[in-house]
Amino acid sequence: MAFDRDDMLDTYLLETSQILEELQGVVLKYRDEKEFPPEAIDEIFRHMHTMKGSAGFMMFEQINMLTHKMEDVFFYIREYKPTDVPHKELIELVLKVGDFVQGELDRLSAGEMADTSAQALIDELDAFLESINVEKNAAGNKDITETEGSSATGSTQIYIAPKDTKASHYYQIYITYARDTKLANVHAYKVVHALKGIAQDIKYSPSSILTDEKSSDEIIEQGFKILLRSAVSKKQIDKIVSAGYETDSISISEIDAARYNAGFKLFGVDADIAAKHSKDKTEYVPGDFVVHANAPGGGVVLAKDNAAAKLKNSHVNVEVAELDRLSDLVMKLISQENKLAGDKTTDKLKKLTEDIQSVINNMRMVPLTNIFLRMNRVIFEASRKLNKDIECSIIGDDVRADRGIVEHISDPLMHMVRNSADHGIEDADLREAAGKPRKGRITLKAEIADGELRISVSDDGAGLDRDKILKKAREKGLMDEDRSDADYTDEEVWRFITLPGFSTNTDITEFSGRGVGMDVVVSSIEQIGGTLDIESRKGLGSTMTMRFPA
Amino acid sequence: MRILLAEDDFVTRKFMMSFLSKYGDCDVTVDGMEAVDAFLLAQEEGEPYDLVCLDIMMPVMDGYQALIGIRNIEKERGIEPDKAVKIIMATALNEEKNVKMAFDLGCTIYSGKPINQDRFEQALKKLGLIE
């Protein structure tokens, strides 16, 4: 289970098999027709183009050449619209190409190389291309190579999988020594030394065994812990470790990479719990992989882990439920105290309990800094993907909010931010035509006012389209038959977009996706006791404000 | 061909040196910042590198930062994308997000470690760096 399967290969296999399915679908759909309609030709061309690209990227040359040739065939059909293309024969060829690629995918899944020669099939495609090239127009073929040739130069990117992606195993090793063992630290180091020969990486705890004699006591009390990354089997490691190092007990278990990377904080923890904690969902940024002090026993320390470690030192993670329980208990304490007769002692006691209560309330509060910074990144990524220039301004990120809220607003916030970037901010040319700066702006703002916490996302984009929303609401039968469009206030109109299944966007972009709608955003805000206000002015932009009782 | 290697681990460096020296003259740096400096120096001396091979986990600046640095220098000097230096990231990090980030930042080849030498050579041929 601890095989370190190559991520990129997995992605390639998954994406390509999805394409093959779609390819087969479209081909079989038009099996009994006389010819492919233009949109089917486009689709097949696109599939071949994608497979050509990804095979090139992974350096699967045979698949690359074959799909390239098939792409040429469809390019020719699309551009030159030859008549009398033998349809059945063409279908057969596409299916053959599909089968070939599928066969290679199977080989790759089994850990073999994708190097079966596709030459015979390529020759067949060449012959086919020749046969439909009625005018024997050499220029036609030349066009193909030229258009395709240009895309192949310059921007080529290639991925090379590691030599043997199944090479690394991860182990945790726990060794105890008898109580009367002298210099247990030296014994422990001998084991480390023996393992170094087969280790790709090794970390141990306590880490100061060579320089600190006191570590001997710690080892006897708490045992010696090793994390090992190595290509060798558990059996071999067992052999090395048990080769007479005067140990009391040894336990070796294989773990997964994520757990290994989490270091000693998950050492010995149940696999299920560990899996929960070690899921690293955060995105990396350049600079995360700067190597810091290479301490003995510490393995490699990276910038990204270091920052996390610093936070860990000054903070303890507490379950919100525990905090809730604590405040409940204090409330009970206060109500009991109120029953006590008033004298100096009870007054002091009351003061103390009040202090405790305010400390607990404070403990529940966390700043919004992190979540706002994450949104900044979301905006940055969105602006790149959508090819729009968007800047992000942040106001009030030091505002603190109840952690019950902070832990749950990430998804709704992200959705609103993406909506703003995708549907709110217009393309630069449109903005310029409307007399706005070419660069769009999204503002994240938090404030505490009138006894409530307000977190808002505003953009200076196009604003919501009242007419479009009304039209859609009519279509969906959400509106009162007796009321005319003009009867509806803006507020009522904006409310429509928060209803389940409502989306005015006819062409849902790849970016903001189609999964979550505003209805989900609203219901997740309501779940944590908040409400959502929408303000929008045509041409000037929209503001979505979440309100929570402070 | 002129090659620049940035690699902080001694054993790997030794291996990569002898491997890359088959294809050309190989200079070595031990962290990301040195690599950017070496790249700039070579540019200024009019003997630019044809191939830069970056480790990712390195001191001072990591491979991603070095990659950004080099691409920015090229941009600043007005070097056309098709004349840009070929950059190989060679690393044991093979999570998809590691690979994606490298390509987004403009790396040419991303090679997992241990390096698959046959494929590596094949890729150099494909890029027209070797015959």
Side-chain angles (χ1 to χ4, degrees), chain A residues 514-528:
Chain A
R514 61 188 75 216
V516 196
M518 283 305 291
D519 56 316
V520 179
V521 170
V522 169
S523 74
S524 51
I525 293 170
E526 282 169 355
Q527 259 172 30
I528 44 174

Side-chain angles (χ1 to χ4, degrees), chain A residues 12-29 43-44 47-48 51 94-95 97-99 101-102 105-106:
Chain A
Y12 172 79
L13 291 174
L14 183 72
E15 284 175 359
T16 310
S17 53
Q18 276 168 353
I19 292 173
L20 287 179
E21 249 171 57
E22 283 170 32
L23 185 67
Q24 185 160 327
V26 61
V27 169
L28 294 181
K29 187 168 161 198
E43 188 180 339
I44 299 171
H47 287 325
M48 289 302 162
M51 286 200 286
V94 177
L95 291 177
V97 169
D99 287 348
V101 176
Q102 184 60 54
L105 294 190
D106 292 344

